[in-house]
Amino acid sequence: MQVNPSFRLVYVPGVTPGKWVRVWSERLPDVPLDLLAVPFGDAERTLREGGADAGLVRLPVDKDVLSAIPLYTETTVVVFPKDHWLAAAEEVPLADLAEEVVFHPLDDSLGFTAETLPGRPAIARPDSTEDAIELVAANVGVLLVPQSLARLHHRRDLTYRPVVEAPQSQVALSWPQERTTDLVEEFIGIVRGRTVNSSRGRGAGQAAPEDRPGKAAAPRKPQQQKSGGQKSGAQKAGGQKTGAQKAGGQRAGGPKGAKAGGAKAGGRGAAARRGRPKR
C-alpha cells in the first residue's frame, strides 16, 4: 500500500459522499480523507491541476485526461412556487413548460443550450443555481435541475415535480489517468461496494472452499457408516423378530405336536385295549 499523508476527495453540489467516507474511515483509519466541496464547473479543473486525488463529479469529463466510473443517474425536476399551476400534476411533461420562463444558470448541470432549453428564456442567465432559485421564489419563472439540487436549495415556499423526457445528470467517480494510485483503487472498491475481503481490497483473501461452513456441514463418511450400522442393527432386530416368530412357530407347533402326539399315544392305548384279552 502506497503511503500518503491523506486522500483528497473533491465533490460537487448535490452529491453526498458521507456513506463512502464512513466506509473509508473504517477500512483505512490511518489515512485521513479530506473533503473539498467545489462549484460544478471547478471539479474537473481541480482534478487536472492535482488539487484532489479523485472526485465525485457530473459527467461529461475529458476522457483523454480523466478516468471516470458512472455511479448513478439523477431524476430531473422542475422547481416552482407552491401555488403554481404545475403543482396539480404528479409529473410534468417537458412540453408543458413551453409557455413558462425557464431559467438557464451559468452552472447548469443538465447540458442545456440556448437551442435545447425548453420554454421561454429569461432576459439574462443567473450566475448560479442558487441565484436562479431566488428568482423562482420571486415567481419570475421556473428552473430545471437534478433532484439533489432541488433538495439542497429547498425552501418552504417552493416545490418540485419530476419532468418526463428531460435530460438527466449522471454522477461519476473520476480521477487523473496518470495518477491511479493504490489509494484511488481503494476508493474505487468502496464506491463499487466491494467487501473488505474482496480480492482487490485491502486485506484480501477469501476462505478456501474446504474451509467454508457449507463444506464443513456436509455429511462425513463416519456418519454414513454409523447410519449403515443403525440399519444393520435394524436388520438384526428384524432377525430377532424373525427368530421370535420362529420361536412362536415352535410354540404354536408345540400344542399341535402335543395334540398329534396325544392322538398317537391314544391310538396306542386303544390298540393295547383292543389287544388285551377279555376278562
Side-chain angles (χ1 to χ4, degrees):
M1 174 63 61
Q2 178 179 345
V3 178
N4 280 8
S6 65
F7 184 77
R8 297 161 297 174
L9 181 70
V10 65
Y11 67 100
V12 296
V15 177
T16 53
K19 61 181 179 180
W20 296 311
V21 173
R22 287 193 295 271
V23 176
W24 177 278
S25 63
E26 293 171 358
R27 296 189 186 180
L28 292 89
D30 56 330
V31 182
L33 192 153
D34 298 331
L35 293 174
L36 178 61
V38 299
F40 166 69
D42 292 346
E44 186 170 342
R45 178 179 56 81
T46 302
L47 291 173
R48 284 173 175 269
E49 296 177 357
D53 298 291
L56 297 170
V57 304
R58 296 186 185 276
L59 296 178
V61 295
D62 187 350
K63 294 183 179 180
D64 293 332
V65 180
L66 302 176
S67 297
I69 299 174
L71 300 179
Y72 58 89
T73 301
E74 288 198 64
T75 299
T76 298
V77 300
V78 57
V79 182
F80 48 82
K82 282 189 174 180
D83 58 355
H84 197 281
W85 69 271
L86 290 173
E90 293 185 359
E91 55 183 26
V92 178
L94 201 60
D96 284 1
L97 303 178
E99 299 301 322
E100 298 292 327
V101 173
V102 180
F103 294 111
H104 189 199
L106 294 176
D107 63 353
D108 169 52
S109 57
L110 295 174
F112 284 118
T113 65
E115 291 75 24
T116 61
L117 185 71
R120 297 184 293 121
I123 297 174
R125 295 184 64 180
D127 291 334
S128 66
T129 297
E130 187 175 3
D131 292 338
I133 290 288
E134 294 294 331
L135 293 171
V136 173
N139 205 13
V140 179
V142 300
L143 176 65
L144 289 163
V145 290
Q147 186 171 348
S148 65
L149 290 181
R151 291 174 176 172
L152 178 65
H153 299 292
H154 172 71
R155 291 174 53 122
R156 292 184 178 180
D157 55 345
L158 300 180
T159 188
Y160 59 85
R161 295 290 187 274
V163 180
V164 181
E165 298 180 351
Q168 294 178 316
S169 176
Q170 196 169 26
V171 175
L173 173 65
S174 183
W175 68 95
Q177 294 180 5
E178 296 180 355
R179 296 195 296 274
T180 308
T181 64
D182 291 338
L183 291 178
V184 170
E185 290 286 359
E186 288 290 340
F187 198 78
I188 292 172
I190 289 173
V191 299
R192 282 185 163 175
R194 295 176 190 155
T195 65
V196 69
N197 293 325
S198 169
S199 59
R200 294 188 184 183
R202 199 174 187 181
Q206 295 180 345
E210 60 270 18
D211 295 332
R212 294 175 184 170
K215 291 292 183 181
R220 297 181 179 179
K221 291 183 178 180
Q223 294 176 344
Q224 295 176 354
Q225 292 174 353
K226 183 177 181 181
S227 175
Q230 293 173 348
K231 184 176 181 182
S232 299
Q235 293 173 348
K236 184 176 180 181
Q240 293 172 350
K241 183 176 180 181
T242 304
Q245 292 172 347
K246 184 176 180 181
Q250 291 173 351
R251 288 194 299 269
K256 183 177 180 181
K259 184 177 180 181
K264 187 176 181 180
R268 289 196 299 269
R273 286 192 299 269
R274 286 194 303 268
R276 289 178 184 178
K278 295 181 180 180
R279 292 180 184 180

